[in-house]
Amino acid sequence: MDRISGGTTGCRVVAMPYPARGHINPMMNVCKLLVSKLMDIINITFIVTEEWLGFIESEPRPPQIQLRSIPNVIPSELVRGSDRPAFVEAIFTKMEGPIEQILEQMQESSLMPVVTAIIADTLLSWAVSIGNRRNIPVVSLWTMSPSVFSVFCHFDLVTQNGHSAVDTSSERGDELIDYIPGISPAIRLADMPRMLHKTRVQVSGRMSEAFAFVHKAQCLIFTSFHELEAQVTETLMAVLPFPVYSVGPSIPHSTTLAGDHEREQTTTITHNNNNMDYYFKWLDSQPKSSVLYVSFGSFYSVSREQMDEILAGLRESGVRYLLVSRGDHASGTVPPDDDDDEMLSSNLVVPWCDQLRVLCHSSVGGFWTHCGWNSTLEGVFAGVPMLTFPLGFDQITDRKLIVDDWKVGMKVMKEVGAERFVRKEEIGMIVKKFMDLDGDDEESKEMRRRAGELKESCRRALAKGGSSDTNLNAFIRDILKCHC
């Protein structure tokens, strides 16, 4: 990207991510975008807990981004899934004080420029209060889809229509939600975020609190690109009291997007796995578009029994696959010798991989995903069709976007939830259909064509003069007050 030259004073930004991988990564990527534009004048302080500092401090980042930590005042990342309400409650009640202490130290230091802005995850409602108390502009960063933002932004309508505490997997699941501005009228109750479930009222209450504060921010940033959900984004731009900037996809993409070999040349932010050369060597040996990449994200997990069925179904399908598994199934991942027969195997299981580079590899023809927003954006960027298997929260709505709105994916199962167990026979059939490149299925051909169109739309948005590039420049000019 072109750099923007500012004045003689520095631009100091404080970044406050929600403490979870799916929130930290996109915020870090937004910070890197700002550095690419304001390299000579910007300085960003990125605040995380001590635990998260240990997780991310070795990951590459420009020197303009410094990490600061607060004590571990919230439950560990390793156990937060066991009591999600307690984890959320700790975030809302325990983090504000320690982070404000860091801000106070920064503002008292004569060696540092005044803080220009705070970029805070939308879910951190107290960050808006900190900024308002200290007269620092607060930028709200939303790391999920604009559609999910609109659902919670109009939560009063959800409540008025009796949908705020309903079991979305019940017989009411087919009820149409046709009253949220900008949202497709074809969305059903079963497609809504799982936070609306009656058993999650405490957590959804905190979400409502966060959205009560978001209106006091100075602007909103989406980690998506405008064209992906143009209708809902433009509707929000018309009703919100501040500017909205779509600057994404906020994923670790390459900034050089020209040429016929993009899928081979894309680079990413982390290269921490010693087995990387091995699994890319394996991918290099596979036919074009023949591999199904399978990953279910970093937080929600699939039961051992369901994973056994998934592996059995994958084997029965006869499809080549690369599967990322963090559990007991992540075995046999030590790189073999060059002449080892396993290099000729039609499948590979690894505990970690460089996901965006894998998706952009020419041998990958499909992505079995949990539909997390960052993974969804990476699938769109790579132009690969998606086999959808949402596990919770916003992923259900993302599945609806992928399958019904964009028509670039298929469902593993009709409905969602831990109560639904998918057998290997069903998995085998859907995987085989999904990856059939030579068949006459018109749905499959259309799905791949549309995935290619979305990819091109994404690349245009990121290019110089595209919507994301233009929005980022406008944000820098209008909010950070740095001018060309």
Side-chain angles (χ1 to χ4, degrees), residues 236-283:
L236 287 168
M237 292 171 70
V239 300
L240 291 174
F242 45 58
V244 178
Y245 304 97
S246 297
V247 302
S250 298
I251 56 177
H253 56 76
S254 170
T255 56
T256 303
L257 301 175
D260 295 330
H261 304 289
E262 293 168 359
R263 298 187 67 173
E264 302 291 348
Q265 297 172 342
T266 303
T267 57
T268 56
I269 59 172
T270 59
H271 301 281
N272 296 329
N273 191 299
N274 292 331
N275 293 342
M276 178 183 292
D277 289 341
Y278 167 53
Y279 64 75
F280 275 110
K281 185 175 181 180
W282 180 84
L283 284 170

Side-chain angles (χ1 to χ4, degrees), residues 54-76:
F55 292 152
I56 69 173
E57 62 182 341
S58 63
E59 296 178 358
R61 65 184 182 279
Q64 293 87 349
I65 301 176
Q66 294 93 39
L67 301 179
R68 291 285 300 271
S69 67
I70 63 171
N72 293 321
V73 294
I74 60 175
S76 169

Side-chain angles (χ1 to χ4, degrees), residues 150-166 177 179-180 189 192 196:
S150 189
V151 168
F152 284 104
C153 186
H154 297 95
F155 197 74
D156 56 331
L157 297 179
V158 178
T159 302
Q160 292 170 19
N161 284 271
H163 290 139
S164 60
V166 177
I177 310 298
Y179 48 79
I180 299 178
L189 181 58
M192 298 283 272
L196 304 184

Side-chain angles (χ1 to χ4, degrees), residues 188-246:
R188 305 170 304 151
L189 181 58
D191 299 319
M192 298 283 272
R194 277 297 182 264
M195 278 297 188
L196 304 184
H197 195 290
K198 63 181 180 182
T199 63
R200 295 179 171 89
V201 172
Q202 178 183 351
V203 176
S204 62
R206 285 299 192 183
M207 290 285 290
S208 297
E209 178 183 332
F211 274 83
F213 276 85
V214 76
H215 291 83
K216 300 178 182 179
Q218 271 59 55
C219 73
L220 173 68
I221 288 180
F222 284 140
T223 59
S224 180
F225 61 100
H226 181 87
E227 292 81 358
L228 193 60
E229 293 180 82
Q231 179 177 338
V232 66
T233 301
E234 289 168 7
T235 301
L236 287 168
M237 292 171 70
V239 300
L240 291 174
F242 45 58
V244 178
Y245 304 97
S246 297

Side-chain angles (χ1 to χ4, degrees), residues 39-113:
M39 186 172 292
D40 299 328
I41 64 171
I42 196 168
N43 190 285
I44 300 175
T45 300
F46 198 92
I47 304 178
V48 293
T49 63
E50 290 178 356
E51 181 181 44
W52 272 106
L53 178 65
F55 292 152
I56 69 173
E57 62 182 341
S58 63
E59 296 178 358
R61 65 184 182 279
Q64 293 87 349
I65 301 176
Q66 294 93 39
L67 301 179
R68 291 285 300 271
S69 67
I70 63 171
N72 293 321
V73 294
I74 60 175
S76 169
E77 173 70 11
L78 304 179
V79 299
R80 69 182 176 102
S82 61
D83 191 350
R84 184 173 177 82
F87 178 77
V88 172
E89 192 65 18
I91 290 171
F92 273 82
T93 58
K94 304 289 187 181
M95 291 181 64
E96 179 178 1
I99 286 183
E100 187 157 24
Q101 287 180 8
I102 291 179
L103 264 179
E104 187 170 346
Q105 294 168 6
M106 292 173 62
Q107 289 190 303
E108 290 177 350
S109 174
S110 59
L111 301 177
M112 297 181 178

Side-chain angles (χ1 to χ4, degrees), residues 343-359:
M343 192 55 69
L344 302 176
S345 172
S346 62
N347 61 75
L348 189 63
V349 181
V350 297
W352 179 91
C353 80
D354 193 337
Q355 178 165 287
L356 186 56
R357 282 193 66 201
V358 166
L359 287 171

